[in-house]
């Protein structure tokens, strides 16, 4: 029996694909019901005599987790040890900027970098809100770019952002996440399909998520089996810290515990009124704060 550490690079419910430091890949199952490894986890695994499968016995302590509520309203971990969050929106499906804001909020509470990518620029759009939303993100310091996976345009800018990092790509389904990854992999369109066929062959066909190594440097996690969702936030404090421009402006509020709603001497409200803070972002903040506080009351 030998024991090694590895990274989880694909999950299919309770079965996993692992990659060792030397690049070799094996399949593994998990010891016990309590252990719940996810993509990006570093794990300890042991080989089993007369079996090709390895056994995951331990998860190395996570640096961070990206979580989401599942169908039963419980918190589920989507990926671990992520260094960069790439949020994708597109001309279609119609952008839901509240979802983008919630992802950015999650990135702030994970203390990781985030970028906003607007895909399908090959499709003409009359939506004036798009330019304004992208401008909102750019001016508060998120790298923001437009691209077209279809036309293979500006994909190199995404590669430059991912370079040397473990990134996860998120956003509404259909925005083109897998297509962007295809381009980053440098191959023809069917590249992602090949990968998911290879890892999903035989007895396990639903890939929850997978981590792909990019020829241009870095790795990226795709979650093809995950439906539309926005991350769960635990507390009002997390929401306030999740909107970096609101957090920053809040230092000048009269009250240290100002929630930037109706308090006198609120610097955030002033900044919204004079346009320094985007009214749309502020609305997202209020919506998310209300959602979280409803949750707080239930606890
Ligand atoms: N016009 C256009 N269509 C795209 C582009 N990128 C992806 N699509 C299409 O959008 C649909 C969803 O793409 P997919 O990559 O599966 O999205 P995902 O659900 O976010 O992974 C597919 O029909 C793609 O061909 C793009 O840049 N332009
Ligand atoms: Mg996909
Ligand atoms: Zn305030």
């Amino acid at each position: 029996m030998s024991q090694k550490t590895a990274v989880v690079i694909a999950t299919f419910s309770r079965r996993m694909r692992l990659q060792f430091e030397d690049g070799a890949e094996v399949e593994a199952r998990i010891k016990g019901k309590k252990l719940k490894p996810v993509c990006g986890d570093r794990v300890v695994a042991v080989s089993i005599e007369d079996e090709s499968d390895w056994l995951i016995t331990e998860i190395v302590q996570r640096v961070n987790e990206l979580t989401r509520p599942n169908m039963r309203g419980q918190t589920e971990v989507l990926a671990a040890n992520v260094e960069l969050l790439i949020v994708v929106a597109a001309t279609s499906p119609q952008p839901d900027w509240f979802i983008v804001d919630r992802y950015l909020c999650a990135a702030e509470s994970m203390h990781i970098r985030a970028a906003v990518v607007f895909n399908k620029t090959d499709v003409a759009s009359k939506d004036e809100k798009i330019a304004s939303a992208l401008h909102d993100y750019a001016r508060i310091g998120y790298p923001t770019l437009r691209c077209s996976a279809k036309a293979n345009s500006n994909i190199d800018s995404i590669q430059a952002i991912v370079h040397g990092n473990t990134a996860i790509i998120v956003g509404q389904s259909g925005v083109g996440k897998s297509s962007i990854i295809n381009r980053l992999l440098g191959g023809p369109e069917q590249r992602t399909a090949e990968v998911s066929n290879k890892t999903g062959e035989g007895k396990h066909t639903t890939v929850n998520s997978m981590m792909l190594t990019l020829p241009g440097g870095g790795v990226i996690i795709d979650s093809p089996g995950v439906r539309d969702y926005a991350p769960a936030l635990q507390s009002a404090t997390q929401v306030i810290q999740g909107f970096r421009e609101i957090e920053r402006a809040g230092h000048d509020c009269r009250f240290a515990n100002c929630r930037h709603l109706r308090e006198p001497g609120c610097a955030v409200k002033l900044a919204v009124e004079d346009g320094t803070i985007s009214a749309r972002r502020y609305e997202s903040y209020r919506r998310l704060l209300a959602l979280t506080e409803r949750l707080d009351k239930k606890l």
Side-chain angles (χ1 to χ4, degrees), residues 88 91-92 119-123 147-152 171-180 182 189 222 224:
V88 185
T91 44
S92 68
N119 187 37
K120 309 198 188 183
T121 52
D122 57 285
V123 183
C147 72
S148 165
K150 189 177 177 187
N152 202 6
Q172 292 162 267
S173 86
V175 291
K177 299 181 294 294
S178 301
S179 307
I180 289 169
N182 272 332
E189 307 255 332
D222 191 14

Side-chain angles (χ1 to χ4, degrees), residues 14-26:
R14 295 288 289 172
R15 295 187 56 79
M16 326 248 122
R17 179 172 283 269
L18 305 182
Q19 188 176 53
F20 297 118
E21 250 162 62
D22 64 6
E25 293 180 15
V26 295

Side-chain angles (χ1 to χ4, degrees), residues 16-59:
M16 326 248 122
R17 179 172 283 269
L18 305 182
Q19 188 176 53
F20 297 118
E21 250 162 62
D22 64 6
E25 293 180 15
V26 295
E27 299 222 342
R29 51 195 178 81
I30 307 157
K31 184 180 178 183
K33 285 233 160 63
K34 282 191 188 140
L35 217 50
K36 290 181 178 131
V38 296
C39 218
D41 261 325
R42 299 194 66 80
V43 296
V44 177
V46 295
S47 64
I48 309 161
E49 215 176 316
D50 303 324
E51 250 192 70
S52 63
D53 274 7
W54 283 57
L55 187 69
I56 298 170
T57 58
E58 204 183 305
I59 300 171

Side-chain angles (χ1 to χ4, degrees), residues 219-237:
V219 296
I220 195 157
I221 299 172
D222 191 14
S223 310
V226 174
R227 293 189 161 260
D228 285 3
Y229 80 99
L233 288 164
Q234 259 52 318
S235 66
T237 316

